[in-house]
Amino acid sequence: MQLGLSVSDSDVSSFTPLVVLELADDTKAEAITWLLNRIRDKQQNGGAELLVNQLLFPAQDDQKPNPNVFVVGSTLQRLLNGAEDVGLFKEFQDGTMRGFTYANRESFNDFNGDGEGFLSDAECQYIIKHELDTLRAKNEEHVPGYPKLKLYPGKSVVRRLQSKGVLNQYFPLHNKEDLKRLSFSWYKKFKLSFQPLDDIRHYFGEGLALYFGFLEYFTFALVPMALIGIPYYLFDWEDYDKYVLFAVFNLVWSTVFLEVWKRCSATLAYGWGTLSRKKAFEEPRAGFHGALGFNPVTGREEPVYPSSKRQLRIYLVSVPFVLLCLYLSFYVMMVYFDMEFWAINIYNEDPSIATSILLFVPSIIYAVVIEIMNLLYRFAAEFLTDWENHRLESSFQNHLVLKVLVFNFVNCFASLFYIAFVMQDMVLLRQSLATLLITSQILNQVMEAFLPYWLQRRRNKKVHKRMRRLMGDKELPLLGQVKLETEMNTYLGTFDDYLEQFLLFGYVSLFSCVYPLAAVLVVLNNITEVYSDAFKMCHVFKRPFSEPATNIGVWQLAFETMSIIAVVTNCALIGLSPQVKAYFPESDTQLILIVVAIEHVLLAFKFILAFVIPDVPKHIQVNLAKLEFDSLEAFKKRKHMLQSAQAHLIMRGKNSFPQKTKDMFGIKY
């Protein structure tokens, strides 16, 4: 069955391939024909009205290649109509960001001629993904060739095929020229400058650009902490009384840092047209399952799952499992302290270079164990959250984030809290914090940068070698690119990236007053993180679909919660300092009450500051209000025109208006 491209003409297609669609290699022919017809069919017939062709790969090393790989594209007209359907915002002639409409296309900046280049590749691929995801079943009871693979009217066909393993994957193709330009301006030359966030957004979309914007902002925000921390560390820092001033600065910094970021993210989101964009109706997850029922919101017959059953799974299985993991984390922590005391005793009996090095061994081992436990727990948390059977992807992500954050926070910081407030050993706290931070950063760089880079280089060499052996000197750009990208790792989103920054923020905001170099180490880590993450996005992972984003989502709440904990922690550390205790030599109760009172005052100051500093800058608020006013006026004008047209029609008779005029104003009689 040859549906499009052959080996000889694979690099010459009638359209620009934007998305790769890979079905299982044993997919039934009637199912493939049915799906392709639905993708190509007109919109009024329930199709996606997209262009699709088949890629035929040559056999290699007695291995039969997957014949069911397709490339999907679209006409420019279809993409422009799709931009209106998905609610893309573009810059209007007056400089405001407005929802794109095809009727007013010439009133938008950068729309020239027929609109070529008006939409970025990422936006085009997002539109195609939207059209594929909203390709709905009509009257089919099952997928052709699969009597047991039931279809429900109004349900997404692609999500159904994906959940049942018929559709292996679909992903956007890289644009080689754009990727080369982005790579050069982003990470190929070392320079002290801001990241090209607009170019990143143009190529990867707003969600990923916001992550790199946050990474850049966090790194620059740490510079004052680092500059103050260096002299604190170098000059007479063995006197631990001096950390009180640094703790006070830490309190103010952790509050202002997040409030200013909200304004920065609002500015970025407005410039990218996502701040005022309406949230799209969320379709069920591909893995969601349940008995067939009636959805009162959509009015469709579709799988439903009782909320009570999900709650039982959460509270009777997931919560006890998380508590068990937390208990294991505490148990491992106590084993670590036993090792620590053992190393200290050996050093006290025989102080030497070897035994002084031995003092750091328990912390290093514990840091490695923490990373392994975090990794294993992550897999378990994903399995449990999937088993809970959440209907929406946002609900799935929120429950997963909550599980992972609780465990990671306890696993990474419980030992530091124990040393600080139970043992009250500031020397050991400083040593443990330094060891945990440095070891975790080294492990993260190995796992996130060097290992993926090495594996991808091996994979690339194998693919290029196979293609050269098969085709000789003849190059097949499209076939070779698709073959290479189908074997790349899938980027699973910014979850792990934000989690790493969350933990680093914890190390800096909670206990950095006893180890001022923490901010310096995090700055160095984040500088390398920018380059390693940029390389991974460009050359290690498949290109992810663009996802509109207004802010960093649930992670904003996570960072704010950490900053509140930081207020309590730093106030407690100030209260434990000998310098402060000297003022209350006979009354610990009075000291505790004063520390608690100061903590409440600082928390109140924090919340007042959050209220006083607007999340959205004033000029953006004005532009948003102006847009809302213009939309309301346009609605009133249209309503008035409709009423006038109906009145004239009644006075002059219904046949006095041409049918085109009646259709334009929605006149039905």
Side-chain angles (χ1 to χ4, degrees):
M1 180 176 63
Q2 186 168 336
L3 302 171
L5 299 176
S6 64
V7 173
S8 60
D9 64 2
S10 63
D11 55 344
V12 182
S13 176
S14 58
F15 62 87
T16 301
L18 293 171
V19 174
V20 175
L21 199 71
E22 182 184 24
L23 301 173
D25 56 4
D26 58 350
T27 304
K28 302 291 180 62
E30 50 265 48
I32 297 175
T33 303
W34 165 77
L35 177 61
L36 297 185
N37 287 337
R38 291 297 310 276
I39 294 175
R40 291 172 174 146
D41 205 1
K42 300 290 185 182
Q43 279 187 289
Q44 53 264 36
N45 298 331
E49 204 169 335
L50 298 173
L51 307 174
V52 57
N53 274 334
Q54 184 183 25
L55 287 178
L56 299 178
F57 293 92
Q60 42 189 304
D61 300 332
D62 298 327
Q63 294 180 358
K64 185 180 179 182
N66 186 352
N68 302 324
V69 179
F70 304 89
V71 286
V72 183
S74 176
T75 62
L76 179 60
Q77 174 74 32
R78 179 71 184 88
L79 289 172
L80 292 173
N81 288 329
E84 181 175 352
D85 294 340
V86 301
L88 284 185
F89 270 59
K90 289 289 188 177
E91 187 177 10
F92 209 63
Q93 287 180 342
D94 61 359
T96 60
M97 302 299 295
R98 297 173 183 257
F100 176 78
T101 57
Y102 186 76
N104 296 328
R105 59 191 180 278
E106 294 181 357
S107 299
F108 288 85
N109 288 343
D110 301 326
F111 192 98
N112 302 313
D114 59 356
E116 187 73 32
F118 179 69
L119 299 174
S120 67
D121 270 0
E123 290 170 334
C124 293
Q125 290 163 338
Y126 172 72
I127 292 168
I128 290 178
K129 179 180 185 294
H130 174 267
E131 299 301 334
L132 290 175
D133 285 344
T134 54
L135 193 63
R136 305 188 185 283
K138 298 188 293 184
N139 301 320
E140 305 95 337
E141 295 183 355
H142 59 84
V143 176
Y146 296 89
K148 294 183 179 180
L149 211 169
K150 302 295 183 183
L151 289 175
Y152 309 105
K155 291 291 291 180
S156 172
V157 169
V158 168
R159 289 176 181 270
R160 184 67 173 164
L161 295 176
Q162 197 173 15
S163 65
K164 296 300 179 180
V166 177
L167 175 62
N168 286 344
Q169 60 179 337
Y170 67 115
F171 60 89
L173 270 173
H174 277 292
N175 183 306
K176 292 183 178 179
E177 293 301 319
D178 289 348
L179 183 62
K180 188 181 297 182
R181 285 192 293 269
L182 176 62
S183 299
F184 182 77
S185 64
W186 195 5
Y187 73 89
K188 282 195 172 181
K189 56 179 182 179
F190 183 82
K191 59 187 187 304
L192 294 176
S193 64
F194 294 104
Q195 295 180 84
L197 294 181
D198 287 331
D199 294 339
I200 297 170
R201 174 252 172 181
H202 189 272
Y203 193 83
F204 288 111
E206 293 82 12
L208 201 63
L210 270 176
Y211 161 70
F212 281 101
F214 177 79
L215 179 59
E216 177 181 271
Y217 171 81
F218 182 31
T219 305
F220 277 101
L222 282 169
V223 171
M225 290 277 288
L227 293 178
I228 295 175
I230 291 174
Y232 256 83
Y233 181 81
L234 294 178
F235 300 110
D236 198 27
W237 186 247
E238 294 303 324
D239 181 4
Y240 287 94
D241 295 347
K242 303 288 180 63
Y243 70 67
V244 174
L245 292 177
F246 196 83
V248 173
F249 178 78
N250 205 342
L251 290 171
V252 178
W253 174 85
S254 62
T255 300
V256 176
F257 157 71
L258 291 172
E259 292 306 317
V260 176
W261 162 248
K262 285 193 282 190
R263 293 173 61 85
C264 292
S265 66
T267 303
L268 289 173
Y270 177 77
W272 296 337
T274 58
L275 186 61
S276 53
R277 186 173 175 178
K278 293 182 180 179
K279 187 177 180 180
F281 178 76
E282 211 172 342
E283 293 287 340
R285 293 175 55 244
F288 176 70
H289 58 86
L292 190 63
F294 178 77
N295 188 324
V297 177
T298 62
R300 307 188 199 120
E301 195 177 32
E302 61 181 46
V304 295
Y305 191 77
S307 177
S308 58
K309 197 172 181 180
R310 183 181 300 112
Q311 296 300 320
L312 286 175
R313 289 189 173 192
I314 292 174
Y315 291 110
L316 297 183
V317 178
S318 296
V319 172
F321 176 79
V322 173
L323 293 176
L324 175 62
C325 291
L326 294 179
Y327 171 78
L328 291 176
S329 176
F330 280 114
Y331 181 80
V332 172
M333 181 186 73
M334 299 313 296
V335 173
Y336 154 66
F337 284 126
D338 289 339
M339 294 174 58
E340 194 73 55
F341 295 145
W342 169 76
I344 292 173
N345 289 334
I346 292 179
Y347 175 77
N348 291 335
E349 292 176 2
D350 181 22
S352 64
I353 297 178
T355 55
S356 62
I357 295 175
L358 184 64
L359 289 174
F360 293 93
V361 172
S363 296
I364 294 174
I365 295 175
Y366 184 51
V368 174
V369 171
I370 284 177
E371 295 298 323
I372 295 174
M373 291 177 65
N374 286 342
L375 186 63
L376 294 176
Y377 177 82
R378 170 68 186 276
F379 290 122
E382 286 183 350
F383 174 81
L384 269 182
T385 311
D386 186 62
W387 177 73
E388 290 166 5
N389 197 25
H390 296 276
R391 180 177 179 273
L392 302 179
E393 183 65 28
S394 60
S395 177
F396 174 87
Q397 289 296 330
N398 289 339
H399 281 80
L400 178 61
V401 167
L402 181 60
K403 289 186 184 71
V404 173
L405 283 188
V406 169
F407 180 79
N408 277 256
F409 180 84
V410 172
N411 200 32
C412 293
F413 301 116
S415 62
L416 300 179
F417 276 99
Y418 187 87
I419 296 171
F421 303 119
V422 178
M423 300 173 60
Q424 298 186 13
D425 187 342
M426 297 304 162
V427 177
L428 181 58
L429 177 61
R430 177 185 181 183
Q431 175 189 317
S432 298
L433 175 60
T435 308
L436 289 175
L437 181 57
I438 294 172
T439 306
S440 64
Q441 288 181 344
I442 293 174
L443 290 176
N444 283 331
Q445 290 299 326
V446 171
M447 297 300 295
E448 294 185 9
F450 297 108
L451 185 60
Y453 171 75
W454 179 71
L455 292 175
Q456 189 58 37
R457 278 183 63 88
R458 289 188 60 192
R459 189 181 297 119
N460 291 358
K461 287 180 179 179
K462 288 182 180 179
V463 171
H464 289 310
K465 186 177 180 180
R466 287 200 301 264
M467 297 303 293
R468 283 197 302 268
R469 186 168 63 250
L470 289 168
M471 305 310 300
D473 295 330
K474 185 176 180 180
E475 292 188 3
L476 295 174
L478 183 57
L479 281 180
Q481 181 183 356
V482 172
K483 182 65 177 175
L484 183 65
E485 293 186 24
T486 52
E487 296 185 9
M488 284 181 171
N489 296 325
T490 300
Y491 182 64
L492 300 177
T494 55
F495 184 98
D496 290 324
D497 299 313
Y498 279 121
L499 177 61
E500 181 183 353
Q501 295 305 310
F502 172 80
L503 296 176
L504 291 176
F505 177 68
Y507 283 120
V508 171
S509 61
L510 294 177
F511 300 105
S512 66
C513 59
V514 297
Y515 185 60
L517 286 186
V520 179
L521 294 175
V522 174
V523 168
L524 295 176
N525 175 82
N526 283 3
I527 291 174
T528 59
E529 190 80 12
V530 168
Y531 287 91
S532 62
D533 284 354
F535 174 81
K536 288 190 302 181
M537 294 309 307
C538 293
H539 297 291
V540 174
F541 292 118
K542 294 183 181 73
R543 184 179 183 178
F545 280 107
S546 169
E547 287 295 338
T550 305
N551 47 49
I552 62 175
V554 68
W555 292 102
Q556 180 74 37
L557 178 61
F559 278 91
E560 289 177 350
T561 303
M562 180 69 83
S563 70
I564 293 174
I565 299 173
V567 171
V568 179
T569 303
N570 282 276
C571 285
L573 286 173
I574 292 172
L576 290 175
S577 69
Q579 190 178 26
V580 174
K581 283 184 175 181
Y583 290 100
F584 305 92
E586 299 178 356
S587 178
D588 290 340
T589 303
Q590 186 179 5
L591 173 60
I592 293 172
L593 291 175
I594 291 177
V595 169
V596 171
I598 294 174
E599 170 211 307
H600 280 64
V601 170
L602 289 172
L603 287 175
F605 170 75
K606 181 180 178 65
F607 292 127
I608 292 172
L609 195 64
F611 177 77
V612 170
I613 300 177
D615 293 347
V616 181
K618 184 66 176 179
H619 71 281
I620 295 179
Q621 293 182 25
V622 171
N623 287 338
L624 292 176
K626 179 182 177 181
L627 178 60
E628 186 177 354
F629 175 78
D630 290 345
S631 299
L632 183 61
E633 289 298 306
F635 176 76
K636 289 179 179 179
K637 184 178 180 180
R638 179 178 174 82
K639 183 179 180 180
H640 177 71
M641 292 175 64
L642 177 61
Q643 291 173 343
S644 299
Q646 290 175 333
H648 281 293
L649 186 60
I650 293 172
M651 293 175 60
R652 297 174 56 185
K654 66 179 181 180
N655 294 323
S656 59
F657 278 83
Q659 185 62 41
K660 183 177 180 180
T661 303
K662 289 189 282 185
D663 291 341
M664 181 175 66
F665 291 104
I667 300 172
K668 303 298 181 184
Y669 55 87

